[in-house]
Amino acid sequence: MTGPVPELDARADACAERIAGSEAVLLASHIDADGLTSAGIAASALERAGIPCEATFAKQLDGEELERIAATDFETVLFTDFGSGQLDLIADHEERGAFTPVICDHHQPAEAETQFHCNPLLEGLNGASELSGAGTTYLLARALGGEGNTDLAALAVVGAVGDMQSSDGELVGANRAIVEEGVEAGVLEAGTDLALYGTQTRPLPKLLEYTSDVGIPGISDDANGTLRFLNDLELELREDGEWRCWADLMDEEKRTVVNALVRRAVASGVPSERIDGLVGTTYTLAREEPGTELRDASEFSTLLNATARYERADVGLAVCLGDREGALDAARDLLGNHRRNLSEGLRLVKEAGVTGEENLQWFDVGDRIPETIVGIVAGMALGSEGVSPEKPIVAFAEKDDEHAKVSARGTHVLVRRGLDLSAVLGTAAHAVDGDGGGHDVAAGATVPKAGKEEFIAHADRLVAEQLG
Ligand code: C5P
Ligand code: C5P
Ligand code: C5P
Ligand code: ZN
């Protein structure tokens, strides 16, 4: 890639060379949208290069998972979207000769060295906003297959969007260079559009009703109000009398709706930065069928989360690899379930409320929300009604009998003021005999249940120091 950081390309080249010289590769990846798209990119690139590979997925790369991987016959293991944070453990296996690791990741690296390691953080790029796991894996694919692999930029963008790297309105940094390659390859379109979730598949009333984070009186969370608002605009319905989706509207109709939305928001005193958030850069997968979840990067990423976070990474990977029949149907079923869990989770958090500490806020859902999606719920809750966007949010869910899963989410505004949740969760978790890490704006941890209170006290102090 003719990217801004030649050192990172050099790392990708070294990784590609090791991969190209391998007889077979075990591909190990993370169970979320970014991890699945990373695996999809890697598996495609390997197949095109004629290198057999097998894929395995994990919630987390811990000692046990690494033992399992070390016990296989593979001499080369390609870790995508995780691995850097566990570099110390991986390096131990490497030293014992269990396998040669190749790592394409964007998480905070642990203190250790390895030869084949591609990570934006090693070259001064931000791993939470400039390059995702899928983007880093894309660099490897480009190094392996050159121009012939630039169609994989579409999956890289789905991964970046799935990791919320566009949450400030658009993709930036190295991500943007990948978007440009995807546009060039004819697989992506980037344009300014309504920045709401569901423009391809949600009928208009549902789309507008779910604008809770913008909070437009008489529209957000108000089904009847939304219908009145839309009826006044006199848009044509579909032939069967149902509402169309946003993507079906003509440009002029879109302008009509956006103008009316903005007018309503301004008239009701919605703060201007939230109104600005209504419109943003959206990423369309040009080769996918219009009106499907696959057409929009944000909807595609949610579809993938709906598979892998429910132990069906096989389904998500098949969709990434182009299965538009059985796997897509299965993914859609899983999506229905995922959406119910998200909305039930949000309802729970709103009902029970969050506990405010001086510098952060937290909630504990026990076993009522799966630990694999509690972070998504926390992110959706942050900034919604009753939850302040001024403090990071920390969520606990049950991991097993003895352990709690922690997920923390912040905002870009807080990060600019010094917040680094990766450091907060890592340090606070270690203090109670747990383990954690991630990114400045989003991080996670596992802690003993008995240590939750002490963990919060530590984290509260650490956030104070960072924002002080
Ligand atoms: O492993 P990890 O990179 O997957 O996870 C990234 C997570 O961080 C995503 O689940 C995403 O929801 C979250 N995130 C966020 N807000 C951001 C950036 C990331 O909630 N601005
Ligand atoms: O599931 P994922 O983290 O990819 O979701 C990304 C964003 O999409 C969420 O933070 C949320 O704002 C939105 N979303 C939604 N309704 C859903 C799923 C996701 O509004 N059913
Ligand atoms: O699980 P959750 O979505 O909250 O994870 C947020 C971020 O924290 C992810 O990037 C994840 O990989 C990271 N994480 C971590 N160590 C953990 C749990 C999560 O580095 N024990
Ligand atoms: Zn990731």
Side-chain angles (χ1 to χ4, degrees), residues 353-381:
V354 299
T355 307
E357 303 293 334
E358 204 129 325
N359 306 287
L360 56 78
Q361 49 197 338
W362 61 275
F363 63 88
D364 188 348
V365 295
D367 61 1
R368 288 169 300 168
I369 300 179
E371 53 111 344
T372 48
I373 64 161
V374 73
I376 298 175
V377 173
M380 290 169 80

PDB file of all heavy atoms in Angstrom, residues 353-381:
ATOM      1  N   GLY A 353     -30.949   1.669  35.669  1.00  0.00           N
ATOM      2  CA  GLY A 353     -30.144   2.881  35.815  1.00  0.00           C
ATOM      3  C   GLY A 353     -28.681   2.572  36.035  1.00  0.00           C
ATOM      4  O   GLY A 353     -28.293   1.424  36.230  1.00  0.00           O
ATOM      5  N   VAL A 354     -27.869   3.613  35.979  1.00  0.00           N
ATOM      6  CA  VAL A 354     -26.442   3.432  36.204  1.00  0.00           C
ATOM      7  C   VAL A 354     -26.062   4.108  37.511  1.00  0.00           C
ATOM      8  O   VAL A 354     -26.732   5.033  37.959  1.00  0.00           O
ATOM      9  CB  VAL A 354     -25.597   4.029  35.047  1.00  0.00           C
ATOM     10  CG1 VAL A 354     -25.917   3.346  33.737  1.00  0.00           C
ATOM     11  CG2 VAL A 354     -25.835   5.522  34.932  1.00  0.00           C
ATOM     12  N   THR A 355     -24.995   3.600  38.146  1.00  0.00           N
ATOM     13  CA  THR A 355     -24.515   4.190  39.389  1.00  0.00           C
ATOM     14  C   THR A 355     -23.401   5.169  39.051  1.00  0.00           C
ATOM     15  O   THR A 355     -22.450   4.812  38.357  1.00  0.00           O
ATOM     16  CB  THR A 355     -23.962   3.091  40.319  1.00  0.00           C
ATOM     17  OG1 THR A 355     -24.974   2.098  40.464  1.00  0.00           O
ATOM     18  CG2 THR A 355     -23.598   3.663  41.676  1.00  0.00           C
ATOM     19  N   GLY A 356     -23.535   6.398  39.511  1.00  0.00           N
ATOM     20  CA  GLY A 356     -22.531   7.408  39.198  1.00  0.00           C
ATOM     21  C   GLY A 356     -21.462   7.470  40.263  1.00  0.00           C
ATOM     22  O   GLY A 356     -21.758   7.625  41.446  1.00  0.00           O
ATOM     23  N   GLU A 357     -20.205   7.297  39.879  1.00  0.00           N
ATOM     24  CA  GLU A 357     -19.077   7.601  40.753  1.00  0.00           C
ATOM     25  C   GLU A 357     -18.627   8.999  40.356  1.00  0.00           C
ATOM     26  O   GLU A 357     -19.187   9.606  39.450  1.00  0.00           O
ATOM     27  CB  GLU A 357     -17.940   6.593  40.550  1.00  0.00           C
ATOM     28  CG  GLU A 357     -18.338   5.142  40.761  1.00  0.00           C
ATOM     29  CD  GLU A 357     -18.695   4.813  42.210  1.00  0.00           C
ATOM     30  OE1 GLU A 357     -18.192   5.502  43.114  1.00  0.00           O
ATOM     31  OE2 GLU A 357     -19.496   3.887  42.424  1.00  0.00           O
ATOM     32  N   GLU A 358     -17.573   9.483  41.027  1.00  0.00           N
ATOM     33  CA  GLU A 358     -17.117  10.822  40.713  1.00  0.00           C
ATOM     34  C   GLU A 358     -16.715  10.977  39.243  1.00  0.00           C
ATOM     35  O   GLU A 358     -17.080  11.928  38.577  1.00  0.00           O
ATOM     36  CB  GLU A 358     -15.911  11.148  41.593  1.00  0.00           C
ATOM     37  CG  GLU A 358     -15.722  12.618  41.791  1.00  0.00           C
ATOM     38  CD  GLU A 358     -15.576  12.937  43.274  1.00  0.00           C
ATOM     39  OE1 GLU A 358     -16.218  12.276  44.116  1.00  0.00           O
ATOM     40  OE2 GLU A 358     -14.806  13.820  43.569  1.00  0.00           O
ATOM     41  N   ASN A 359     -15.970   9.984  38.725  1.00  0.00           N
ATOM     42  CA  ASN A 359     -15.371  10.141  37.394  1.00  0.00           C
ATOM     43  C   ASN A 359     -15.817   9.124  36.359  1.00  0.00           C
ATOM     44  O   ASN A 359     -15.368   9.139  35.231  1.00  0.00           O
ATOM     45  CB  ASN A 359     -13.850  10.085  37.506  1.00  0.00           C
ATOM     46  CG  ASN A 359     -13.351  11.092  38.510  1.00  0.00           C
ATOM     47  OD1 ASN A 359     -13.363  12.285  38.249  1.00  0.00           O
ATOM     48  ND2 ASN A 359     -12.977  10.623  39.689  1.00  0.00           N
ATOM     49  N   LEU A 360     -16.650   8.178  36.792  1.00  0.00           N
ATOM     50  CA  LEU A 360     -17.186   7.217  35.839  1.00  0.00           C
ATOM     51  C   LEU A 360     -18.573   6.781  36.300  1.00  0.00           C
ATOM     52  O   LEU A 360     -19.015   7.145  37.391  1.00  0.00           O
ATOM     53  CB  LEU A 360     -16.255   6.009  35.670  1.00  0.00           C
ATOM     54  CG  LEU A 360     -15.862   5.193  36.899  1.00  0.00           C
ATOM     55  CD1 LEU A 360     -16.958   4.236  37.344  1.00  0.00           C
ATOM     56  CD2 LEU A 360     -14.604   4.386  36.591  1.00  0.00           C
ATOM     57  N   GLN A 361     -19.262   6.017  35.456  1.00  0.00           N
ATOM     58  CA  GLN A 361     -20.559   5.472  35.829  1.00  0.00           C
ATOM     59  C   GLN A 361     -20.564   3.994  35.473  1.00  0.00           C
ATOM     60  O   GLN A 361     -19.853   3.565  34.562  1.00  0.00           O
ATOM     61  CB  GLN A 361     -21.668   6.225  35.095  1.00  0.00           C
ATOM     62  CG  GLN A 361     -21.432   6.362  33.594  1.00  0.00           C
ATOM     63  CD  GLN A 361     -22.277   7.426  32.936  1.00  0.00           C
ATOM     64  OE1 GLN A 361     -23.314   7.808  33.442  1.00  0.00           O
ATOM     65  NE2 GLN A 361     -21.812   7.900  31.778  1.00  0.00           N
ATOM     66  N   TRP A 362     -21.348   3.191  36.216  1.00  0.00           N
ATOM     67  CA  TRP A 362     -21.295   1.745  35.967  1.00  0.00           C
ATOM     68  C   TRP A 362     -22.642   1.086  36.198  1.00  0.00           C
ATOM     69  O   TRP A 362     -23.531   1.633  36.855  1.00  0.00           O
ATOM     70  CB  TRP A 362     -20.221   1.086  36.828  1.00  0.00           C
ATOM     71  CG  TRP A 362     -20.421   1.228  38.311  1.00  0.00           C
ATOM     72  CD1 TRP A 362     -20.035   2.277  39.090  1.00  0.00           C
ATOM     73  CD2 TRP A 362     -21.076   0.299  39.178  1.00  0.00           C
ATOM     74  NE1 TRP A 362     -20.399   2.069  40.393  1.00  0.00           N
ATOM     75  CE2 TRP A 362     -21.029   0.848  40.475  1.00  0.00           C
ATOM     76  CE3 TRP A 362     -21.674  -0.947  38.996  1.00  0.00           C
ATOM     77  CZ2 TRP A 362     -21.586   0.194  41.582  1.00  0.00           C
ATOM     78  CZ3 TRP A 362     -22.227  -1.603  40.090  1.00  0.00           C
ATOM     79  CH2 TRP A 362     -22.172  -1.018  41.374  1.00  0.00           C
ATOM     80  N   PHE A 363     -22.794  -0.100  35.610  1.00  0.00           N
ATOM     81  CA  PHE A 363     -23.956  -0.948  35.879  1.00  0.00           C
ATOM     82  C   PHE A 363     -23.520  -2.404  35.857  1.00  0.00           C
ATOM     83  O   PHE A 363     -22.453  -2.740  35.349  1.00  0.00           O
ATOM     84  CB  PHE A 363     -25.094  -0.683  34.893  1.00  0.00           C
ATOM     85  CG  PHE A 363     -24.774  -0.991  33.442  1.00  0.00           C
ATOM     86  CD1 PHE A 363     -24.983  -2.270  32.929  1.00  0.00           C
ATOM     87  CD2 PHE A 363     -24.286   0.002  32.600  1.00  0.00           C
ATOM     88  CE1 PHE A 363     -24.712  -2.559  31.592  1.00  0.00           C
ATOM     89  CE2 PHE A 363     -24.000  -0.289  31.261  1.00  0.00           C
ATOM     90  CZ  PHE A 363     -24.210  -1.559  30.754  1.00  0.00           C
ATOM     91  N   ASP A 364     -24.346  -3.243  36.473  1.00  0.00           N
ATOM     92  CA  ASP A 364     -24.030  -4.665  36.579  1.00  0.00           C
ATOM     93  C   ASP A 364     -25.267  -5.451  36.164  1.00  0.00           C
ATOM     94  O   ASP A 364     -26.311  -5.346  36.792  1.00  0.00           O
ATOM     95  CB  ASP A 364     -23.640  -4.981  38.034  1.00  0.00           C
ATOM     96  CG  ASP A 364     -23.117  -6.402  38.188  1.00  0.00           C
ATOM     97  OD1 ASP A 364     -23.265  -7.204  37.242  1.00  0.00           O
ATOM     98  OD2 ASP A 364     -22.556  -6.706  39.263  1.00  0.00           O
ATOM     99  N   VAL A 365     -25.163  -6.212  35.075  1.00  0.00           N
ATOM    100  CA  VAL A 365     -26.339  -6.944  34.581  1.00  0.00           C
ATOM    101  C   VAL A 365     -26.324  -8.418  34.956  1.00  0.00           C
ATOM    102  O   VAL A 365     -27.244  -9.162  34.594  1.00  0.00           O
ATOM    103  CB  VAL A 365     -26.465  -6.836  33.039  1.00  0.00           C
ATOM    104  CG1 VAL A 365     -26.734  -5.404  32.642  1.00  0.00           C
ATOM    105  CG2 VAL A 365     -25.226  -7.381  32.350  1.00  0.00           C
ATOM    106  N   GLY A 366     -25.291  -8.850  35.694  1.00  0.00           N
ATOM    107  CA  GLY A 366     -25.237 -10.264  36.085  1.00  0.00           C
ATOM    108  C   GLY A 366     -25.324 -11.157  34.854  1.00  0.00           C
ATOM    109  O   GLY A 366     -24.612 -10.943  33.878  1.00  0.00           O
ATOM    110  N   ASP A 367     -26.228 -12.145  34.893  1.00  0.00           N
ATOM    111  CA  ASP A 367     -26.321 -13.051  33.743  1.00  0.00           C
ATOM    112  C   ASP A 367     -27.483 -12.674  32.817  1.00  0.00           C
ATOM    113  O   ASP A 367     -27.907 -13.471  31.993  1.00  0.00           O
ATOM    114  CB  ASP A 367     -26.462 -14.498  34.217  1.00  0.00           C
ATOM    115  CG  ASP A 367     -27.723 -14.710  35.041  1.00  0.00           C
ATOM    116  OD1 ASP A 367     -28.495 -13.731  35.234  1.00  0.00           O
ATOM    117  OD2 ASP A 367     -27.939 -15.841  35.501  1.00  0.00           O
ATOM    118  N   ARG A 368     -27.991 -11.459  32.952  1.00  0.00           N
ATOM    119  CA  ARG A 368     -29.158 -11.094  32.136  1.00  0.00           C
ATOM    120  C   ARG A 368     -28.801 -10.584  30.733  1.00  0.00           C
ATOM    121  O   ARG A 368     -29.672 -10.475  29.877  1.00  0.00           O
ATOM    122  CB  ARG A 368     -30.021 -10.068  32.888  1.00  0.00           C
ATOM    123  CG  ARG A 368     -30.778 -10.722  34.069  1.00  0.00           C
ATOM    124  CD  ARG A 368     -31.392  -9.673  34.950  1.00  0.00           C
ATOM    125  NE  ARG A 368     -30.364  -8.799  35.505  1.00  0.00           N
ATOM    126  CZ  ARG A 368     -30.613  -7.658  36.130  1.00  0.00           C
ATOM    127  NH1 ARG A 368     -31.845  -7.227  36.255  1.00  0.00           N
ATOM    128  NH2 ARG A 368     -29.615  -6.944  36.618  1.00  0.00           N
ATOM    129  N   ILE A 369     -27.539 -10.256  30.513  1.00  0.00           N
ATOM    130  CA  ILE A 369     -27.073  -9.934  29.158  1.00  0.00           C
ATOM    131  C   ILE A 369     -25.823 -10.792  28.926  1.00  0.00           C
ATOM    132  O   ILE A 369     -24.956 -10.845  29.801  1.00  0.00           O
ATOM    133  CB  ILE A 369     -26.692  -8.444  29.024  1.00  0.00           C
ATOM    134  CG1 ILE A 369     -27.888  -7.544  29.331  1.00  0.00           C
ATOM    135  CG2 ILE A 369     -26.156  -8.137  27.629  1.00  0.00           C
ATOM    136  CD1 ILE A 369     -27.571  -6.042  29.245  1.00  0.00           C
ATOM    137  N   PRO A 370     -25.713 -11.472  27.764  1.00  0.00           N
ATOM    138  CA  PRO A 370     -24.508 -12.277  27.530  1.00  0.00           C
ATOM    139  C   PRO A 370     -23.258 -11.406  27.612  1.00  0.00           C
ATOM    140  O   PRO A 370     -23.254 -10.269  27.140  1.00  0.00           O
ATOM    141  CB  PRO A 370     -24.700 -12.803  26.102  1.00  0.00           C
ATOM    142  CG  PRO A 370     -26.150 -12.626  25.785  1.00  0.00           C
ATOM    143  CD  PRO A 370     -26.651 -11.505  26.644  1.00  0.00           C
ATOM    144  N   GLU A 371     -22.217 -11.946  28.229  1.00  0.00           N
ATOM    145  CA  GLU A 371     -20.990 -11.144  28.396  1.00  0.00           C
ATOM    146  C   GLU A 371     -20.366 -10.764  27.058  1.00  0.00           C
ATOM    147  O   GLU A 371     -19.606  -9.817  26.975  1.00  0.00           O
ATOM    148  CB  GLU A 371     -19.988 -11.882  29.294  1.00  0.00           C
ATOM    149  CG  GLU A 371     -19.662 -13.301  28.860  1.00  0.00           C
ATOM    150  CD  GLU A 371     -18.241 -13.450  28.362  1.00  0.00           C
ATOM    151  OE1 GLU A 371     -17.596 -12.441  28.074  1.00  0.00           O
ATOM    152  OE2 GLU A 371     -17.802 -14.612  28.242  1.00  0.00           O
ATOM    153  N   THR A 372     -20.692 -11.498  26.000  1.00  0.00           N
ATOM    154  CA  THR A 372     -20.113 -11.194  24.693  1.00  0.00           C
ATOM    155  C   THR A 372     -20.721  -9.956  24.035  1.00  0.00           C
ATOM    156  O   THR A 372     -20.177  -9.441  23.069  1.00  0.00           O
ATOM    157  CB  THR A 372     -20.296 -12.379  23.721  1.00  0.00           C
ATOM    158  OG1 THR A 372     -21.655 -12.791  23.800  1.00  0.00           O
ATOM    159  CG2 THR A 372     -19.391 -13.535  24.080  1.00  0.00           C
ATOM    160  N   ILE A 373     -21.874  -9.494  24.519  1.00  0.00           N
ATOM    161  CA  ILE A 373     -22.470  -8.307  23.898  1.00  0.00           C
ATOM    162  C   ILE A 373     -22.671  -7.158  24.882  1.00  0.00           C
ATOM    163  O   ILE A 373     -23.184  -6.102  24.516  1.00  0.00           O
ATOM    164  CB  ILE A 373     -23.814  -8.607  23.183  1.00  0.00           C
ATOM    165  CG1 ILE A 373     -24.881  -9.059  24.180  1.00  0.00           C
ATOM    166  CG2 ILE A 373     -23.633  -9.635  22.077  1.00  0.00           C
ATOM    167  CD1 ILE A 373     -26.293  -8.908  23.615  1.00  0.00           C
ATOM    168  N   VAL A 374     -22.254  -7.350  26.147  1.00  0.00           N
ATOM    169  CA  VAL A 374     -22.502  -6.293  27.131  1.00  0.00           C
ATOM    170  C   VAL A 374     -21.745  -5.013  26.759  1.00  0.00           C
ATOM    171  O   VAL A 374     -22.209  -3.894  27.044  1.00  0.00           O
ATOM    172  CB  VAL A 374     -22.170  -6.781  28.565  1.00  0.00           C
ATOM    173  CG1 VAL A 374     -20.665  -6.882  28.786  1.00  0.00           C
ATOM    174  CG2 VAL A 374     -22.811  -5.874  29.599  1.00  0.00           C
ATOM    175  N   GLY A 375     -20.609  -5.162  26.072  1.00  0.00           N
ATOM    176  CA  GLY A 375     -19.858  -3.977  25.638  1.00  0.00           C
ATOM    177  C   GLY A 375     -20.623  -3.177  24.591  1.00  0.00           C
ATOM    178  O   GLY A 375     -20.614  -1.945  24.593  1.00  0.00           O
ATOM    179  N   ILE A 376     -21.281  -3.871  23.671  1.00  0.00           N
ATOM    180  CA  ILE A 376     -22.081  -3.178  22.658  1.00  0.00           C
ATOM    181  C   ILE A 376     -23.225  -2.424  23.341  1.00  0.00           C
ATOM    182  O   ILE A 376     -23.501  -1.264  23.028  1.00  0.00           O
ATOM    183  CB  ILE A 376     -22.665  -4.178  21.624  1.00  0.00           C
ATOM    184  CG1 ILE A 376     -21.543  -4.893  20.879  1.00  0.00           C
ATOM    185  CG2 ILE A 376     -23.578  -3.459  20.639  1.00  0.00           C
ATOM    186  CD1 ILE A 376     -22.036  -5.983  19.915  1.00  0.00           C
ATOM    187  N   VAL A 377     -23.863  -3.082  24.317  1.00  0.00           N
ATOM    188  CA  VAL A 377     -24.967  -2.433  25.043  1.00  0.00           C
ATOM    189  C   VAL A 377     -24.442  -1.200  25.792  1.00  0.00           C
ATOM    190  O   VAL A 377     -25.065  -0.134  25.758  1.00  0.00           O
ATOM    191  CB  VAL A 377     -25.650  -3.422  26.023  1.00  0.00           C
ATOM    192  CG1 VAL A 377     -26.664  -2.712  26.891  1.00  0.00           C
ATOM    193  CG2 VAL A 377     -26.307  -4.564  25.245  1.00  0.00           C
ATOM    194  N   ALA A 378     -23.276  -1.341  26.420  1.00  0.00           N
ATOM    195  CA  ALA A 378     -22.702  -0.197  27.142  1.00  0.00           C
ATOM    196  C   ALA A 378     -22.468   0.967  26.184  1.00  0.00           C
ATOM    197  O   ALA A 378     -22.787   2.121  26.496  1.00  0.00           O
ATOM    198  CB  ALA A 378     -21.394  -0.607  27.827  1.00  0.00           C
ATOM    199  N   GLY A 379     -21.930   0.660  25.002  1.00  0.00           N
ATOM    200  CA  GLY A 379     -21.668   1.714  24.021  1.00  0.00           C
ATOM    201  C   GLY A 379     -22.943   2.384  23.546  1.00  0.00           C
ATOM    202  O   GLY A 379     -22.985   3.603  23.346  1.00  0.00           O
ATOM    203  N   MET A 380     -24.001   1.584  23.355  1.00  0.00           N
ATOM    204  CA  MET A 380     -25.264   2.157  22.915  1.00  0.00           C
ATOM    205  C   MET A 380     -25.912   2.972  24.041  1.00  0.00           C
ATOM    206  O   MET A 380     -26.614   3.955  23.779  1.00  0.00           O
ATOM    207  CB  MET A 380     -26.219   1.045  22.430  1.00  0.00           C
ATOM    208  CG  MET A 380     -25.772   0.392  21.122  1.00  0.00           C
ATOM    209  SD  MET A 380     -26.682  -1.127  20.686  1.00  0.00           S
ATOM    210  CE  MET A 380     -28.183  -0.448  19.996  1.00  0.00           C
ATOM    211  N   ALA A 381     -25.681   2.547  25.298  1.00  0.00           N
ATOM    212  CA  ALA A 381     -26.289   3.247  26.432  1.00  0.00           C
ATOM    213  C   ALA A 381     -25.624   4.607  26.669  1.00  0.00           C
ATOM    214  O   ALA A 381     -26.290   5.573  27.044  1.00  0.00           O
ATOM    215  CB  ALA A 381     -26.181   2.394  27.701  1.00  0.00           C
TER     216      ALA A 381
END
